[in-house]
Amino acid sequence: MSRFFTTGSDSESESSASGDETAPKAPGGPYSKPLLLSEDEEDTKRVVRSARDKRYEELTNLIRSIRNAMKIRDVSRCLEEFELLGRAWTKAKGVVDREGVPRFYLRILADLEDYLNELWEDKEGKKKMNKNNAKALSSLRQKLRKYNRDYEGQIAAYRQNPEQSDEDEEKSRRDSEGSGSSSGAEDEAGNFLKRRERDEPRSRYKESESEPESESDEDWGDSASESDSESDEDDGKFTSLASKFLKKDEERRGAERRREEKAKKKLERKSRREEEEEEEEGGEWEKVKGGVPLIKEKPKMFAKGTEITVGLVMKKLNEILQARGKKGTDRAAQIELLQHLVAVAHEHQLGVPLELKIKFNIVASLYDYNPNLAAYMKAELWQRCLGCIEELLELLFAHPEIFVGENVLEESENLSNPEQPFRVRGCVLTLVERMDEEFTKIMQNTDPHSQEYVEHLKDEARVCGIIARLQRYLQAKGSPEELCRVYLLRVLHTYYKFDYAAARRRAGQVRPGQVRPGQVRPGQVRPEGQEKEDGQEKEEKDAQVKVEEEEKKEEEEEEEEDSEALMERLCRFVYAKDRTDRIRTCAILCHIYHHALHSRWYRARDLMLMSHLQDNIQHADPPVQILYNRTMVQLGICAFRQGLIKDAHNALLDIQSSGRAKELLGQGLLLRSLQERNAEQEKVEKRRQVPFHMHVNLELLECVYLVAAMLLEIPYMAAHEFDARRRMISKQFHHQLRVGERQPLLGPPESMREHVVAASKAMKTGDWRRCHRFVVNEKMNGKVWDLFPEADQVRAMLVRKIQEESLRTYLFTYSSVYDSISMETLAAMFELELPTVHGIISKMIINEELMASLDQPTATVMMHRTEPTATQNLALQLAEKLGNLVENNERVLDQRQGAYGGYFRDQKDGGYRKGDGYLRRGGFRQERGNY
Amino acid sequence: MASRKEGSGAAGGGFGAAKGKGKAAAAGDSAVKQVQIDGLVVLKIIKHYQEEGQGNEVVQGVLLGLVVDDRLEITNCFPFPQHTEDDADFDEVQYQMEMMRSLRHVNIDHLHVGWYQSTYYGSFVTRALLDSQFSYQHAIEESVVLIYDPIKTAQGSLSLKAYRLTPKLMEVCKEKDFSPEALKKANIAYENMFEEVPIVIKNSYLINVMLWELEKKSAVADRHELLSLASSNHLGKSLQLLMDRVDEMSQDIVKYNTYLRNVSKQQQQKHQYQQRRQQENIQRQSRGEPPLPEEDINKLFKPPQPPPRMESLLIAGQINTYCQNIKEFNAQNLGKLFMAQALQDYNN
């Protein structure tokens, strides 16, 4: 018993020292001392009272630990304690029944409820909570709700008038005390305690009064500390309420309400920020608060009645700009300010130059909005940015007399003086270039398979429009360098798009009398675009967008030329005028790409060869190299479409042989171990990626390469079957073949590669029909061939090539079986015309690939049978190997002779050489010189 | 016994080079001059391969019999069980002992007189066979290895050969020194590594009688596979194997060559060093200083490790076997072709 009491008093003094407000009011505590004192006198009474006190003390202890747990946000602990509390409460039922529900118990229930509600409301905090706590929170909340239902009325009453209930309770307690015992000492002690209570709360109230103020001033800190301080504050309030000296009933009652509000506010905080960004009017200035001292002063920037002049606006502008880049500057608010400033300037007719100037700055701060280089603009910001630039350009067009340049000094700017020409510092070109970069970034960061991407892609038209307008503007007044830059921008937005309109126009010219191109177009283009939604071939992807864009353009500019002519014109200018190597390189590559895309193979090839880019591209920076790789790939595909298999293979070899096509084309990162690349590098690489709508289809690429390799490699393999020194033309192709061979069970081909492997196998035996079936079929059409703009032509070319190469392979493989073979039979077998067969065979004979002669009158091929048979070949190989062996053996012998004595070596060797007339001696001597 | 394990684990092989008539003379000084094989043994070996061997996989087994004077009679045999991954702890020695004990119970000769193995196109001259046969011969002097060529047998002529290591090679193997010098001293060349022992297949009279009877009854007596003209496949395979061996030989020679070069280079360095030292000493003497102490020259120049030559000997032996095989095969084939031509001419 006494142990209990001592602990009770201990904790009391402790808690009062630490300012814990529950302790002083804990009924068990205060009375423990007097009890101890009066112990000897009042034995019987003590028993009665101690039952009640014991229970109450138990409860208060539990309540205290709940409060502690609440303070450190340990919900799971709260839950445990609450359960214990519930048990203790049932134990204390008897006492409670006699005396009614004690006030402190109601208080903890009410507080706990509020606290939980608050936590529940705070979504963000909940997310941060660990799992245990979160679980405990929900279960505790439910339990408490159920539990509180029993005391609903009392709690409500308590909330209504906490003070009252407190008083009542105290009174009743005192009454009971009085009735129970009339010991003066006890009363005195009680009074003393109460007095202390009174003193304490007063001082604490002062604290709590000052707190709210400071809180409203401070920026919304992290939620944890905030809620801590809040709960402290609230607790303080409640203690103060408990004492009679507190007058602020209002505040008291409003406590919970306020708390709820705060929780709500916290939730809204974020959204409000965003709202603020969008809020247009200057009337909202006051709302911008916290953390940005500079802006706080702003609302008064134009005092009423002040005459607003250019100088004044300029001053304000500079003031705003000074905050730029500083830590703690609210960038969103800054943009608002500038917007406002424009409005003001416009309103007061301060002149276009000033507006221009401010608008330049708006766009610049829009770009600055994201401090991180890797982050990309949000959609609405991007839209605003586009809008601003468009407005800017409009102004510039409307006022061609204003001189804009980045080399205009701040001092020499002329914004207001109408006598002199207006001069404004700023560079539209840079802004547009930056806009283009931002656009690329947005595209890079959007999931290419989402609707969002399509939405973003629609902006491409706007971007192109802006660039075109800028180009027109600069053509009038820009320097050649600037023109080069803007041309490059234009070129970069043009080169990868297939010009359907021009293609159709050409088709229309070739076949006049067809339906008018304009009518045919949408029908032709659209289905294609939809069909191949997954096709990375860019022009398919944005076919729809482009159609709209084209229509608009055509309306806009009647004289809009073919993209071919456009490219030609722009690139030529760049070639002539550019002085930085990079722009010219890019322009050439784009030009080649464009040629290749439109199947102008020879022009593309000549340009590539003339530019000598292949020699020095490895010195260029990675983005240019990526462009180069894209161009080479496109060139290869172009050659393939033209049926120039060898050229296609050579162009694609570099990219494909590395097995890193994806990376080399900037279309994705390879999975590599972290050692090879750290996070920093990865970021850099990510920034280099080509946006999805410009991708080259990798499967198409690989398929083209493999088919080209097949057409080259299979006849070659057949021709050199027994050649020990045979070289592989394409390692990758052989790799695929081997993979195919390793398969234990050969099902019908599924993937593109399997198709090609199966086709190769068919071709090996000269079975062109099967080969054809494997290369051109439904699956392959869907996967690959339909992606070409002129798919049918390509397919026709392919069939032809397969027939020819199969014929060659057949002749190589089976010529040893024939004495003679009729060309007509061959022509029938391979469904080729007789002259073609004749041509192919003649070529083979001339190249000494086929040992045969043609018998003209009967149109037959007479085999000469000079090729060795398999066994003969083996024998030949063996002979060769034996030759090597002998040679090696000779060396041993030589060595031995030389080793007998260094002094006579020369002599000896000379003699030896004379004696031995071995053929390889000469060559051997040279080799020996190296020893 | 332990070595048998090795032998059976490895991919078969042995030695085949030494089977000319000259060999018979060489065999004169060894313990066994003739091998007499029971028909039962031959049939058991053939059956064993038929059942378990395929492709270039090799089957092996133990030969049982007895020695009579200088004649080794092989009267029975049993196969080694095929190895599988699962029963790695299978005790072969234990198995053999068990097997022999059981055979003794049924009154079969249980003297261990050697082992047999099949071969693929005559490729059996390997290190594994050498080691194996060495340990056999080391333990039981009269042991032989029977090499059974299933492919030739399938073509119509039973091919079974008995080999032993020559006493010279036994000496070398005992020394375990395969350096060029040692081999040279022992006068070992590929021709005299193995000796072939003539084989006689003998059946009991009763069996002979039964065979006569069977022959009369048997309807299929024409052995046309013997006259088959299709030879390129066999020849091609042989050539291929021969080529592989030649390649290995080349590599070996290159290795040896490098070694020789290193030796001579070092020799030169040594010589230079000695000369320099001599000159210095002369100078010192003239100056009246004491000469430099003699250092162990072999410590300064560590002689390069000579490559073991046994491998190349074995390869040479194998090449020889291949060549013999091809020669034999081609001789037969040419004969057949001439026969066929004569027939053709006759028919026309």
Side-chain angles (χ1 to χ4, degrees):
Chain A
M1 189 60 80
S2 60
R3 240 185 84 234
F4 252 118
F5 291 144
T6 41
T7 50
S9 64
D10 265 0
S11 69
E12 186 204 354
S13 62
E14 240 176 53
S15 57
S16 60
S18 69
D20 192 325
E21 48 296 316
T22 47
K25 250 159 287 122
Y31 298 105
S32 58
K33 241 175 192 151
L35 262 176
L36 207 67
L37 289 173
S38 62
E39 192 172 37
D40 6 347
E41 310 170 7
E42 307 159 332
D43 249 342
T44 45
K45 269 164 209 161
R46 192 199 65 193
V47 179
V48 176
R49 221 178 282 134
S50 73
R52 182 198 120 129
D53 287 347
K54 214 168 91 186
R55 298 283 167 238
Y56 276 11
E57 191 187 55
E58 209 177 335
L59 289 175
T60 35
N61 279 340
L62 285 169
I63 287 171
R64 195 178 307 140
S65 47
I66 288 180
R67 290 223 184 258
N68 283 338
M70 272 159 74
K71 252 179 230 161
I72 58 167
R73 294 197 132 211
D74 191 347
V75 185
S76 51
R77 196 129 158 258
C78 267
L79 179 63
E80 276 168 40
E81 299 290 346
F82 178 71
E83 269 160 6
L84 288 177
L85 183 68
R87 243 170 272 153
W89 179 250
T90 39
K91 266 197 232 161
K93 199 85 181 158
V95 185
V96 172
D97 284 347
R98 246 182 291 138
E99 309 203 12
V101 183
R103 188 204 159 271
F104 64 85
Y105 192 71
L106 287 179
R107 171 141 45 93
I108 186 64
L109 288 183
D111 283 3
L112 201 55
E113 195 177 18
D114 291 343
Y115 174 70
L116 288 179
N117 282 339
E118 187 191 321
L119 278 186
W120 191 255
E121 226 74 356
D122 185 5
K123 291 268 153 57
E124 242 176 73
K126 226 160 65 178
K127 250 178 244 161
K128 267 184 245 157
M129 230 181 254
N130 64 34
K131 228 175 159 186
N132 278 342
N133 271 350
K135 230 199 234 158
L137 175 62
S138 55
S139 62
L140 179 57
R141 189 162 162 267
Q142 272 178 348
K143 271 189 190 154
L144 189 70
R145 214 186 270 165
K146 227 190 258 168
Y147 196 83
N148 281 4
R149 214 168 287 149
D150 297 342
Y151 304 97
E152 228 169 342
Q154 279 146 306
I155 289 174
Y158 159 74
R159 288 204 167 156
Q160 273 291 296
N161 196 357
E163 190 195 338
Q164 179 56 43
S165 57
D166 206 12
E167 248 176 20
D168 286 349
E169 196 211 343
E170 226 146 284
K171 219 184 279 166
S172 70
R173 203 195 298 164
R174 227 176 294 148
D175 288 348
S176 71
E177 275 160 20
S179 67
S181 82
S182 50
S183 152
E186 219 175 84
D187 254 67
E188 221 176 311
N191 283 343
F192 163 72
L193 260 176
K194 255 181 251 160
R195 219 173 299 137
R196 212 179 53 178
E197 238 171 61
R198 277 164 213 157
D199 289 344
E200 251 178 47
R202 199 181 297 158
S203 61
R204 219 174 289 137
Y205 178 62
K206 265 176 206 151
E207 267 173 28
S208 66
E209 222 179 3
S210 62
E211 252 177 62
E213 267 181 355
S214 69
E215 196 199 42
S216 65
D217 269 0
E218 84 189 12
D219 209 322
W220 296 81
D222 71 325
S223 57
S225 74
E226 186 189 329
S227 71
D228 266 1
S229 71
E230 219 171 273
S231 61
D232 274 348
E233 177 199 339
D234 289 344
D235 288 339
K237 247 170 252 150
F238 277 104
T239 42
S240 57
L241 292 177
S243 81
K244 296 173 186 172
F245 295 89
L246 297 183
K247 292 141 212 164
K248 291 219 168 178
D249 287 12
E250 229 183 68
E251 199 177 307
R252 190 190 321 148
R253 232 169 268 137
E256 293 116 313
R257 234 183 302 134
R258 233 180 327 124
R259 214 169 331 159
E260 274 161 35
E261 267 171 24
K262 263 177 210 159
K264 239 184 263 167
K265 244 191 250 168
K266 230 182 291 162
L267 279 178
E268 285 167 1
R269 223 185 322 148
K270 278 242 159 67
S271 56
R272 206 192 314 153
R273 270 259 167 98
E274 277 155 29
E275 276 167 23
E276 275 166 15
E277 282 160 20
E278 277 159 24
E279 275 154 13
E280 294 269 315
E281 267 325 293
E284 306 281 337
W285 290 126
E286 291 81 7
K287 278 209 174 174
V288 183
K289 60 182 171 206
V292 200
L294 182 120
I295 290 164
K296 264 201 161 171
E297 300 154 18
K298 231 61 228 181
K300 290 172 230 149
M301 71 177 175
F302 297 121
K304 258 180 213 155
T306 320
E307 198 195 340
I308 294 168
T309 63
V310 174
L312 206 58
V313 173
M314 272 305 287
K315 228 173 98 195
K316 284 295 159 201
L317 178 65
N318 284 334
E319 225 170 289
I320 296 167
L321 290 184
Q322 259 152 28
R324 197 175 147 187
K326 272 184 196 153
K327 224 178 169 190
T329 309
D330 187 342
R331 291 182 294 270
Q334 214 186 358
I335 295 167
E336 292 313 321
L337 277 176
L338 289 169
Q339 293 272 24
H340 180 55
L341 210 58
V342 171
V344 171
H346 192 72
E347 209 178 296
H348 291 80
Q349 311 248 310
L350 290 177
V352 183
L354 188 65
E355 273 182 54
L356 266 181
K357 171 100 183 151
I358 300 170
K359 280 205 166 133
F360 270 126
N361 283 311
I362 290 177
V363 179
S365 25
L366 277 171
Y367 292 146
D368 278 349
Y369 188 73
N370 271 325
N372 190 347
L373 199 59
Y376 61 102
M377 272 188 170
K378 285 200 204 75
E380 67 262 40
L381 269 183
W382 165 245
Q383 291 300 341
R384 264 170 77 186
C385 176
L386 278 183
C388 270
I389 292 175
E390 271 168 359
E391 278 171 37
L392 201 61
L393 281 172
E394 223 137 83
L395 275 179
L396 284 175
F397 269 109
H399 303 276
E401 75 279 358
I402 300 171
F403 181 79
V404 177
E406 56 187 334
N407 40 12
V408 175
L409 294 174
E410 293 275 353
E411 299 84 51
S412 60
E413 271 187 330
N414 178 13
L415 301 178
S416 50
N417 192 345
E419 276 103 65
Q420 284 167 4
F422 290 115
R423 293 163 72 83
V424 178
R425 180 183 164 83
C427 181
V428 214
L429 181 57
T430 319
L431 290 185
V432 173
E433 276 176 347
R434 186 73 203 276
M435 172 196 76
D436 186 52
E437 270 169 42
E438 289 292 339
F439 179 67
T440 314
K441 250 193 257 172
I442 289 175
M443 298 317 279
Q444 280 169 351
N445 284 291
T446 314
D447 173 18
H449 302 289
S450 61
Q451 192 57 34
E452 204 187 344
Y453 195 88
V454 181
E455 290 301 319
H456 284 312
L457 204 54
K458 282 179 186 159
D459 287 336
E460 219 255 337
R462 261 175 99 183
V463 173
C464 288
I466 288 173
I467 292 172
R469 284 170 74 187
L470 178 69
Q471 178 198 337
R472 253 178 291 142
Y473 177 72
L474 287 179
Q475 267 168 351
K477 17 183 41 182
S479 66
E481 286 84 34
E482 285 176 320
L483 263 181
C484 281
R485 275 161 70 190
V486 76
Y487 278 178
L488 181 66
L489 270 186
R490 187 85 194 271
V491 164
L492 283 175
H493 275 278
T494 315
Y495 79 98
Y496 62 87
K497 292 172 188 158
F498 188 77
D499 193 347
Y500 282 95
R504 226 160 297 112
R505 231 170 288 148
R506 210 163 306 127
Q509 280 167 8
V510 173
R511 283 168 292 176
Q514 273 207 329
V515 201
R516 268 185 22 159
Q519 290 171 327
V520 189
R521 188 218 295 152
Q524 275 183 342
V525 176
R526 279 228 177 82
E528 255 178 51
Q530 284 158 357
E531 235 173 60
K532 299 157 209 155
E533 245 192 331
D534 59 330
Q536 284 124 312
E537 276 278 286
K538 55 279 135 209
E539 69 270 3
E540 267 89 16
K541 179 88 199 209
D542 57 1
Q544 228 167 325
V545 181
K546 251 169 41 68
V547 169
E548 291 164 16
E549 177 194 321
E550 274 170 12
E551 278 166 358
K552 206 167 80 190
K553 257 195 214 158
E554 271 167 33
E555 284 164 16
E556 253 179 32
E557 305 173 59
E558 207 57 271
E559 82 287 350
E560 172 70 274
E561 58 230 293
D562 279 4
S563 64
E564 180 190 354
L566 178 74
M567 287 291 289
E568 188 80 26
R569 188 166 57 78
L570 299 181
C571 288
R572 268 176 199 282
F573 182 85
V574 173
Y575 300 155
K577 292 281 161 53
D578 175 58
R579 288 201 210 112
T580 68
D581 221 22
R582 192 175 183 277
I583 292 183
R584 185 169 46 222
T585 309
C586 287
I588 292 175
L589 288 174
C590 292
H591 202 177
I592 297 169
Y593 189 104
H594 194 258
H595 278 319
L597 191 61
H598 294 83
S599 300
R600 295 186 288 272
W601 156 252
Y602 289 104
R603 286 173 68 183
R605 186 198 62 182
D606 292 347
L607 201 53
M608 180 58 98
L609 292 178
M610 279 193 301
S611 64
H612 293 290
L613 276 176
Q614 279 152 308
D615 308 329
N616 49 23
I617 193 68
Q618 64 269 25
H619 305 304
D621 50 357
V624 179
Q625 287 194 18
I626 286 175
L627 183 59
Y628 171 78
N629 289 337
R630 283 165 57 76
T631 306
M632 281 311 281
V633 163
Q634 199 56 247
L635 208 56
I637 293 174
C638 170
F640 183 79
R641 280 187 311 225
Q642 307 289 306
L644 304 162
I645 302 300
K646 217 171 196 156
D647 290 310
H649 181 264
N650 289 342
L652 297 180
L653 185 62
D654 283 342
I655 303 290
Q656 281 293 318
S657 62
S658 65
R660 297 187 301 150
K662 201 166 153 198
E663 197 187 9
L664 291 175
L665 293 176
Q667 298 187 174
L669 304 174
L670 284 186
L671 294 172
R672 269 190 281 162
S673 59
L674 279 173
Q675 304 157 337
E676 277 180 70
R677 161 178 72 184
N678 51 32
E680 198 55 39
Q681 270 174 303
E682 190 169 323
K683 259 186 219 158
V684 173
E685 275 175 42
K686 248 185 196 153
R687 235 174 292 147
R688 275 187 216 136
Q689 299 305 303
V690 176
F692 185 72
H693 60 286
M694 295 162 71
H695 279 192
V696 177
N697 188 332
L698 290 177
E699 191 171 25
L700 172 94
L701 178 62
E702 194 181 351
C703 180
V704 163
Y705 174 76
L706 284 180
V707 170
M710 176 185 86
L711 291 175
L712 292 176
E713 187 84 74
I714 296 292
Y716 181 83
M717 277 164 70
H720 299 85
E721 205 185 340
F722 302 118
D723 193 341
R725 276 167 303 186
R726 178 182 74 190
R727 294 228 169 73
M728 282 185 259
I729 294 177
S730 161
K731 269 203 178 126
Q732 243 224 330
F733 178 69
H734 274 274
H735 175 72
Q736 292 303 340
L737 278 189
R738 253 175 281 134
V739 168
E741 272 163 22
R742 238 180 282 144
Q743 224 108 60
L745 204 65
L746 214 61
E750 285 292 332
S751 70
M752 175 273 295
R753 283 178 196 158
E754 284 168 0
H755 272 104
V756 176
V757 169
S760 307
K761 277 187 190 150
M763 194 189 239
K764 257 188 200 163
T765 59
D767 187 349
W768 76 270
R769 275 190 192 83
R770 256 188 47 208
C771 180
H772 174 221
R773 266 208 307 283
F774 280 128
V775 174
V776 181
N777 55 32
E778 286 280 301
K779 263 187 201 154
M780 291 290 272
N781 277 347
K783 272 183 189 146
V784 180
W785 307 124
D786 283 341
L787 297 179
F788 286 127
E790 60 276 296
D792 289 328
Q793 273 160 264
V794 173
R795 276 191 283 260
M797 178 280 294
L798 256 182
V799 177
R800 179 87 184 175
K801 286 281 169 199
I802 287 172
Q803 285 168 338
E804 287 175 13
E805 296 304 329
S806 296
L807 169 62
R808 275 160 54 80
T809 312
Y810 185 83
L811 284 177
F812 283 134
T813 314
Y814 298 109
S815 62
S816 57
V817 183
Y818 288 101
D819 267 331
S820 64
I821 184 166
S822 151
M823 280 200 282
E824 271 169 45
T825 323
L826 282 179
M829 267 174 77
F830 292 93
E831 292 185 13
L832 286 165
E833 309 84 61
L834 199 56
T836 322
V837 174
H838 187 266
I840 290 171
I841 292 175
S842 305
K843 224 186 228 169
M844 286 168 78
I845 291 172
I846 288 172
N847 291 338
E848 297 189 342
E849 291 171 326
L850 189 66
M851 296 305 157
S853 55
L854 285 172
D855 187 47
Q856 212 64 26
T858 53
T860 45
V861 190
M862 310 293 296
M863 299 298 170
H864 288 178
R865 294 202 166 266
T866 51
E867 283 291 301
T869 62
T871 318
Q872 282 168 332
N873 260 311
L874 279 175
L876 284 173
Q877 278 180 42
L878 179 64
E880 201 169 311
K881 286 193 174 168
L882 286 173
N884 279 334
L885 183 65
V886 170
E887 195 173 303
N888 283 329
N889 224 0
E890 292 274 326
R891 279 188 211 178
V892 174
L893 200 61
D894 216 44
Q895 192 65 238
R896 174 142 305 177
Q897 298 211 330
Y900 276 136
Y903 300 119
F904 309 105
R905 192 175 180 150
D906 288 342
Q907 253 182 327
K908 279 214 156 192
D909 267 3
Y912 173 56
R913 220 182 315 163
K914 239 179 266 166
D916 191 334
Y918 197 72
L919 271 175
R920 293 197 177 93
R921 214 84 280 262
F924 177 44
R925 292 294 309 168
Q926 279 176 351
E927 279 173 61
R928 256 198 69 195
N930 302 333
Y931 293 164
Chain B
M1 272 308 199
S3 67
R4 197 172 311 146
K5 240 176 175 171
E6 268 175 63
S8 58
F15 173 96
K19 70 159 217 177
K21 269 167 200 130
K23 290 308 130 50
D29 49 343
S30 77
V32 180
K33 293 218 170 67
Q34 200 185 27
V35 176
Q36 181 181 312
I37 307 174
D38 210 291
L40 172 73
V41 175
V42 178
L43 289 178
K44 270 180 109 171
I45 293 174
I46 293 174
K47 183 162 169 272
H48 182 200
Y49 177 82
Q50 216 83 320
E51 279 170 359
E52 289 189 30
Q54 74 267 102
N56 50 8
E57 247 175 68
V58 180
V59 297
Q60 292 173 321
V62 175
L63 299 173
L64 300 172
L66 64 161
V67 183
V68 182
D69 299 332
D70 57 356
R71 193 177 70 218
L72 181 72
E73 293 185 7
I74 302 170
T75 53
N76 214 323
C77 69
F78 62 88
F80 287 143
Q82 212 71 346
H83 262 295
T84 49
E85 303 278 312
D86 321 327
D87 46 22
D89 53 344
F90 176 74
D91 189 351
E92 273 188 15
V93 178
Q94 187 66 29
Y95 171 77
Q96 285 179 24
M97 298 313 268
E98 282 290 318
M99 202 61 191
M100 284 197 285
R101 203 172 303 134
S102 309
L103 288 172
R104 186 160 56 184
H105 288 322
V106 291
N107 226 0
I108 288 172
D109 290 322
H110 56 269
L111 177 61
H112 204 157
V113 296
W115 58 300
Y116 69 87
Q117 81 157 40
S118 67
T119 173
Y120 178 70
Y121 286 106
S123 45
F124 60 90
V125 190
T126 61
R127 191 59 188 257
L129 182 124
L130 178 71
D131 290 343
S132 215
Q133 180 59 21
F134 168 70
S135 58
Y136 266 97
Q137 245 171 283
H138 195 62
I140 307 157
E141 222 222 313
E142 293 84 6
S143 306
V144 294
V145 53
L146 275 187
I147 302 293
Y148 162 65
D149 188 338
I151 292 162
K152 254 194 208 162
T153 306
Q155 279 168 346
S157 53
L158 173 66
S159 165
L160 203 60
K161 280 174 185 156
Y163 291 102
R164 284 169 55 77
L165 302 184
T166 55
K168 276 184 196 167
L169 192 63
M170 282 299 287
E171 287 299 312
V172 176
C173 286
K174 254 181 230 165
E175 301 292 321
K176 297 247 181 261
D177 179 11
F178 301 121
S179 66
E181 283 77 27
L183 291 179
K184 209 166 124 195
K185 216 174 88 197
N187 201 12
I188 292 275
Y190 69 91
E191 298 99 335
N192 51 14
M193 288 168 77
F194 290 79
E195 59 183 356
E196 190 184 350
V197 188
I199 289 177
V200 179
I201 298 178
K202 190 161 183 190
N203 289 321
S204 73
Y205 297 117
L206 281 175
I207 293 178
N208 281 336
V209 170
M210 194 184 76
L211 281 178
W212 282 112
E213 253 189 52
L214 277 179
E215 198 169 46
K216 246 190 225 167
K217 282 182 191 165
S218 148
V220 248
D222 35 356
R223 311 155 84 186
H224 36 90
E225 67 265 20
L226 195 61
L227 292 174
S228 159
L229 290 177
S231 61
S232 64
N233 192 22
H234 187 271
L235 195 58
K237 280 257 169 54
S238 298
L239 280 172
Q240 200 70 52
L241 288 166
L242 182 56
M243 260 190 280
D244 292 347
R245 239 23 58 149
V246 169
D247 275 347
E248 275 174 37
M249 186 64 133
S250 287
Q251 281 169 14
D252 223 60
I253 285 177
V254 169
K255 250 188 242 165
Y256 186 62
N257 204 14
T258 319
Y259 160 71
L260 284 182
R261 218 157 55 216
N262 287 343
V263 167
S264 78
K265 216 193 268 169
Q266 207 180 46
Q267 208 72 39
Q268 265 182 339
Q269 280 175 343
K270 246 189 219 172
H271 198 76
Q272 277 179 358
Y273 175 80
Q274 276 171 330
Q275 272 190 329
R276 229 183 304 132
R277 179 56 66 91
Q278 223 174 350
Q279 277 180 347
E280 213 167 312
N281 274 348
I282 291 168
Q283 277 185 352
R284 277 170 163 263
Q285 253 177 351
S286 65
R287 274 179 288 169
E289 289 169 35
L292 288 171
E294 285 294 317
E295 285 164 48
D296 189 4
I297 202 148
N298 280 340
K299 261 186 200 162
L300 280 171
F301 300 99
K302 231 181 167 194
Q305 192 67 33
R309 297 297 291 152
M310 188 44 90
E311 284 305 313
S312 48
L313 273 183
L314 286 172
I315 294 170
Q318 182 67 67
I319 289 177
N320 192 25
T321 320
Y322 284 141
C323 289
Q324 298 292 349
N325 276 349
I326 291 171
K327 200 172 89 185
E328 223 171 81
F329 180 77
N330 279 353
Q332 285 172 10
N333 259 327
L334 278 176
K336 279 190 267 184
L337 284 173
F338 278 123
M339 241 158 66
Q341 197 183 20
L343 270 174
Q344 193 107 14
D345 288 345
Y346 178 76
N347 282 347
N348 290 342

